[in-house]
Amino acid sequence: SLEPSGAETVVSNGRYLLEFDAQRGGVRSLYDKQLKWEWVDATAGRPLHSFVHETLADPNDPEPHERLYHIDYSTTLDSPTGWQPRWAAARTGPTAVRSHKVYRTPLGVAVEQELEHPAVRHLAQRVFLPALGDYIDCEAEWDMGAGDYPEATYVLFPFNLRGATGRLNVGGVQIVQGRDQLRA
């Protein structure tokens, strides 16, 4: 079993210098030494590789599923889409970092953060910085339970990119949202 070698919030290799957020979790700074470029968008309000929990803004709504999606059972053909686009969301991040551990190996440095969030039983994030690589590897895991109230979770990557075009991998095909999709 590998034991942590420390709890420092800054780690680096020949290419990158990473600074971790010890209060909210995630990566506060990803500085590229070769390009002399900060990859994290500091104006985004959340760090890179940060966990977000999303639900309806009104937790007492008597019909929460109707705010998101409405099915008109009176029609059988040419039914309009049921998606309701104008619902208010509440988005929250971790409330605390339970632990921050750094593991050093000959292959690189791994940083593990166990985070606290009221809607999640277990939340852990890991970042691996290889000793001789030009990449970082991010992974996250969480356990939410089996409630039926509408909610979503995701991990944010607010990159500092100018004029970039975001592409998604959908079923093995790269698409640009809004351009390469069928109209509803």
Side-chain angles (χ1 to χ4, degrees), residues 35-112:
L35 297 176
K36 297 181 179 15
W37 184 259
E38 174 56 55
W39 285 106
V40 177
D41 181 359
T43 66
R46 295 185 192 265
L48 187 84
H49 190 47
S50 60
F51 175 85
V52 176
H53 178 266
E54 178 181 83
T55 189
L56 294 173
D58 181 4
N60 300 315
D61 192 312
E63 296 288 336
H65 294 90
E66 287 285 321
R67 296 304 147 253
L68 305 174
Y69 195 86
H70 174 74
I71 299 174
D72 184 0
Y73 291 105
S74 67
T75 64
T76 56
L77 299 173
D78 296 329
S79 179
T81 181
W83 173 248
Q84 305 297 311
R86 292 177 186 84
W87 56 276
R91 295 178 183 94
T92 57
T95 55
V97 175
R98 287 183 183 165
S99 71
H100 176 95
K101 298 175 183 170
V102 177
Y103 300 88
R104 295 191 180 277
T105 73
L107 298 176
V109 180
V111 177
E112 180 178 68

Side-chain angles (χ1 to χ4, degrees), residues 20-31:
F20 290 85
D21 190 320
Q23 278 72 46
R24 298 185 301 170
V27 178
R28 179 179 293 148
S29 172
L30 171 58
Y31 183 74

